[in-house]
Structure formats: structure tokens, C-alpha cells
Amino acid sequence: MKKFLKKVTCAALTLGTLAGLISPTAFAQDKQTITLWTGGSDNIRLVYEELEKAFDSSEYGKKYDLEIQFVLSGSGAQSVRDRIVAAAAAGEKETDFDIVEMGADEFVSYTADNSAEDMFLPLDFSKIPNSENVEAQVAEGSEYLIPFRGTTVVLAYDEERVDKVPTTSEELYQWIKDHPGRFAYNTPGSGGAGSSFVTTAIYNNLDEEALVSDDPANMEKWDQGFDLLKDLHGSLYQSGGKTVYPNKNQGTIDLLIDQQVDMIPAWADQIISQINQGILPETTKITQIDPAFTGGLVTFAIPTIGRQAENPEGAYAFFDFMLSEQAQQILLDNMAAIPLIDSSNMDSANAELLKDLDVTNFRRTSLGELGGQLTERWDKEIGTLN
């Protein structure tokens, strides 16, 4: 009997020791890792860190673990797009490119040399219940892309120095001429705000459908817009007696901060974020003119070379989370992203600043290779003036 009790006691001690060494989570089902590839400035990276925490602690996080692969812009690293396109061209399969973030206008560049179905998985929107609440649509790739936030270029100005704010493009161009040196836009190749100003100046003379067309025939209709840009050149911000086009979106914002100009085209989220940070004064306001500057939708897609292509349930869970009120609130609060769902229940100072920007009326572009050729022509004909 004593020997029996000793064996039982030893067995119990052994099991107890093992139980102490093995974490309780080891007995639970392993969570599936979903890797999201994205990039941009450091402020966007910080927002994604917030979203990652929120996802992992949500109901979705009980089954899936989100991992962010972030490529910082300006770091010299190969872009997310180039990595995915190169991997696809090399015939790689089952990579960790589970989900990719892209601007809706980037879709054309991903599919320039491959069919959309070869590059991305067609989505089953019935498995993304919150997609029914989205109030915006992409111009191209609707089978493959799920939009989750919006942004647009607006007219930013200091209300203390601008008496009458332009409401139309024609009024804006006249304002620039009437206030020489008080307006600036960045080089179109260095940032989307300047690119939007140039694109709308040219495409306001074309049919609206041209903004989502890569038809080379449209290039023959650019002359009137380029004549306008040449006409405005001498009335723009100057330094040392010469017109200066700032580098990057921030370049024009810096001029507005230093009161060297009174009005600029800028991304709405970038302006609002810098107002909140105290970088821009509270007298900075934004407005949208008619016809509007171009904006865009930021989307997610599932590359066919990623692990989620075979079983996309984890990706669908992440998409559904990103279209939840919780995630949309995080985007609104932390980066002034324009919500794509009803924001009436969202309590945010940014919501008040964005209230006049209607995402359903976003003026989107998808020019394909024409966008690069437009920038090249600007570099040759406008950037060399003086």
C-alpha cells in the first residue's frame, strides 16, 4: 500500500510539474497569423500599431493574430508593390503577402503586366458583413478591392489672411493671379497634393470619364491645361525672384506655417493632423472647390501568392474589423481619415472638421501610365520655367 501511494504521489507531482511548465494557452488552438503589408510615413505606422492592438484584443483576435510589415516611405527600401510584383513574376507561392494595402488608383499599376485574377483573389463580400455599410466604391477592381478609408486633396488656407475663399476652380485661378506670390503647390512628382492640383487643372477641360482612363488619346487634349499652368506660373510663390515649387506635400504646408503663402492644395488628413498637433494654427481651414480636387480610397486586397489566397477567412475577419465602428473611429481620431461608414455616432473633433467632405462625391483618378507621362511633361514644360 505504501509503495502504491508513493507511485501515485510521484505521478501527481510529475503532472503538476509539467502543468507548471506548460502555458495554459498551449492547450488552446493555435491562432493563425495574418500578415499585412503596407507603407507610408511614420505617423501611419503609429496608427497601424494602434489598429494591430485593437484587432488582437477584439473578438477577431481570439482566432487570428495580426502582424504588420511596414515599409517606411523615403527609406530607400523596395516598395510593397515592387516586392509583390517581383515575387509574382518569379513564380513564388505561399509567401507572407497575405494582405496588401494600396490606394485604389494603384490597382492599375499592379495589373499592368498581369491579369487582375492572376494578381489578386476575387473577394466574397458575403463573408465581410460590414462591407454592406461602406458608402463608397472604387472605380476599378471592385471584385478584388475592399475600401476602408478615404482621403482627398482640399484647399487649405489661413482664414485670418484670406478674405474671400474661392469656391470654384475658376475663382481659385483668378485668386492666384490677384494675389501674386501667396499660393504654392508642390512638384507633382514629389507628392499627391501637387499632382492633384496639376491633374485637375488639365482634366477639368476633358470629359469626367477621362479621369479613370489610361487611353493615350487623352494626351492630345492636355494642351489647354498646360497653357493654364504656364499662365499661373508667374503668380505663384517666389524666392530670389523666381517661382519655386516646393518639394513634397509637406513643403507647401511649411510655407503656410511660416506665413509665406496664404493658400495651398493639401491632403485633408495631413492638414487636420497638423492642426491637432499644434503645428498649424487653428485659423487654418479647409474647403473643397468645384470641380473638386482629386481624392482617393485606400483599399485592401489579397495577393494570389499569399497564404490567405487558399483560405481567406482570416483576411475576411480583418477586413470586417477594419470596417467596424471601432476601427473607423481609430482611423478618424489618429489620422483624420474620412470614414467610409456612417460616422454620425462617432464622437471626434476631426468629424467636425471633415463634415463638409462627402466621400460619395470623391473625384477619383486612375490614369495608369498616363499619370507618369503627365508628370514628365510637367517637369519639362513647367518645372523648367523662369
Side-chain angles (χ1 to χ4, degrees):
M1 174 64 74
K2 289 182 179 180
K3 289 183 179 181
F4 175 76
L5 287 173
K6 185 176 181 181
K7 288 181 179 179
V8 171
T9 303
C10 289
L13 286 170
T14 302
L15 288 172
T17 302
L18 287 172
L21 293 174
I22 301 174
S23 169
T25 56
F27 295 102
Q29 183 179 8
D30 290 338
K31 292 198 292 186
Q32 180 184 7
T33 297
I34 312 162
T35 303
L36 164 67
W37 284 79
T38 184
S41 57
D42 195 56
N43 67 306
I44 296 177
R45 179 186 63 80
L46 295 174
V47 174
Y48 267 109
E49 287 183 359
E50 197 75 22
L51 288 165
E52 183 178 11
K53 292 176 187 175
F55 177 85
D56 288 341
S57 61
S58 70
E59 285 296 314
Y60 306 95
K62 292 180 179 179
K63 191 173 181 180
Y64 306 103
D65 181 52
L66 180 63
E67 181 179 281
I68 307 291
Q69 290 287 353
F70 195 89
V71 179
L72 191 66
S73 61
S75 63
Q78 187 181 34
S79 72
V80 174
R81 176 201 168 278
D82 290 345
R83 295 182 192 204
I84 292 177
V85 170
E92 294 185 27
K93 300 291 183 183
E94 295 189 12
T95 67
D96 66 349
F97 294 114
D98 297 330
I99 303 170
V100 59
E101 181 203 86
M102 72 175 83
D105 58 333
E106 292 182 77
F107 180 76
V108 174
S109 67
Y110 272 92
T111 57
D113 298 320
N114 301 279
S115 70
E117 196 160 22
D118 286 339
M119 288 298 298
F120 299 111
L121 182 74
L123 303 180
D124 183 351
F125 291 92
S126 69
K127 295 185 177 180
I128 314 170
N130 285 333
S131 65
E132 295 182 2
N133 302 323
V134 175
E135 299 175 337
Q137 292 183 337
V138 296
E140 292 182 289
S142 58
E143 291 178 69
Y144 308 94
L145 304 177
I146 181 87
F148 69 97
R149 69 177 172 91
T151 184
T152 189
V153 174
V154 294
L155 200 59
Y157 62 96
D158 191 313
E159 65 176 353
E160 288 189 343
R161 305 199 304 273
V162 178
D163 295 328
K164 187 177 180 180
V165 182
T167 60
T168 68
S169 59
E170 291 304 319
E171 288 180 4
L172 172 60
Y173 302 145
Q174 190 60 50
W175 188 95
I176 293 172
K177 294 177 183 178
D178 292 343
H179 301 81
R182 305 309 299 174
F183 185 91
Y185 68 88
N186 61 281
T187 56
S190 69
S195 178
S196 178
F197 181 87
V198 169
T199 300
T200 53
I202 293 169
Y203 276 78
N204 281 350
N205 302 302
L206 281 67
D207 293 336
E208 193 69 14
E209 293 75 19
L211 277 171
V212 290
S213 170
D214 60 354
D215 186 350
N218 287 329
M219 296 173 63
E220 300 174 5
K221 306 172 185 177
W222 287 356
D223 291 350
Q224 186 177 349
F226 272 98
D227 287 342
L228 168 64
L229 294 172
K230 291 174 185 176
D231 187 38
L232 294 175
H233 175 81
S235 299
L236 299 174
Y237 168 73
Q238 296 195 351
S239 178
K242 294 183 178 181
T243 296
V244 174
Y245 295 95
N247 185 45
K248 298 187 177 181
N249 300 322
Q250 189 61 44
T252 51
I253 295 177
D254 289 341
L255 292 179
L256 189 63
I257 293 170
D258 295 338
Q259 299 189 9
Q260 295 187 62
V261 297
D262 304 324
M263 189 182 295
I264 61 171
W267 290 105
D269 51 351
Q270 195 169 11
I271 291 294
I272 292 172
S273 294
Q274 295 194 31
I275 292 174
N276 291 338
Q277 295 167 23
I279 299 172
L280 279 164
E282 293 182 359
T283 53
T284 307
K285 304 297 179 185
I286 62 174
T287 189
Q288 189 60 283
I289 60 174
D290 181 30
F293 291 124
T294 53
L297 299 172
V298 185
T299 69
F300 293 124
I302 303 174
T304 55
I305 62 172
R307 296 167 299 193
Q308 285 291 302
E310 291 297 322
N311 180 21
E313 299 303 318
Y316 289 151
F318 174 68
F319 297 162
D320 204 52
F321 167 75
M322 290 299 293
L323 295 174
S324 68
E325 193 167 292
Q326 179 189 8
Q328 294 283 296
Q329 180 85 54
I330 291 173
L331 291 167
L332 176 61
D333 288 341
N334 291 275
M335 64 184 301
I338 300 172
L340 298 191
I341 64 174
D342 182 9
S343 60
S344 58
N345 294 324
M346 297 184 191
D347 183 17
S348 172
N350 288 344
E352 179 66 21
L353 293 170
L354 292 167
K355 67 179 181 179
D356 295 328
L357 302 182
D358 184 359
V359 71
T360 61
N361 291 328
F362 269 16
R363 200 174 183 209
R364 298 184 291 277
T365 59
S366 183
L367 302 180
E369 293 184 3
L370 292 188
Q373 294 180 45
L374 188 151
T375 297
E376 287 180 13
R377 181 170 171 181
W378 186 93
D379 290 341
K380 291 177 182 178
E381 297 186 17
I382 309 298
T384 56
L385 293 175
N386 269 330

